[in-house]
Amino acid sequence: MNIGQAAEHSGVSAKMIRHYESIGLLRPAARSSNTYRQYGEQDVHELRFIGRARSLGFSMKEIGELLSLWRDRERPSGDVRQVAARHLSDLEGKLAEMQAMVTTLRKLIHACHGDERPDCPILEDLAGAPARRSLS
């Protein structure tokens, strides 16, 4: 199948398929006599794999590791688990950071009068100036 058909069957755009090939994530496609890329069912499976891994937030490097492990039918599942656990830990760290941002922003918004006065604890905080009133 051509790149358009592979894109349609996998849910991955033709542009991203070319990108994955260029960075070595996807093996280079076979070429027909007219030099068009030709993809098989295995390529479509790998593209779906990549798409699903991306939807879970795995980095390109992690997806490369997971693809290598997926292609190796002799691999220990512990290796796969290790990649996924490391990614989960990274996500949990980012989530904690975002929750702290939400808490801070909520306090700043609550402290801002939002009226005609020019003083604003939000801007003071962003500028690094001490807030005029407690945010607690």
Side-chain angles (χ1 to χ4, degrees), residues 77-95:
S77 64
D79 292 352
V80 180
R81 181 185 174 116
Q82 185 178 31
V83 174
R86 187 176 63 232
H87 179 61
L88 176 61
S89 178
D90 291 345
L91 287 175
E92 288 172 336
K94 289 176 185 176
L95 182 59

Side-chain angles (χ1 to χ4, degrees), residues 98-119:
M98 291 183 79
Q99 287 172 330
M101 286 186 254
V102 166
T103 299
T104 299
L105 281 171
R106 187 172 283 128
K107 288 178 181 180
L108 288 169
I109 290 168
H110 180 72
C112 181
H113 296 288
D115 57 17
E116 309 308 319
R117 292 181 262 189
D119 62 313

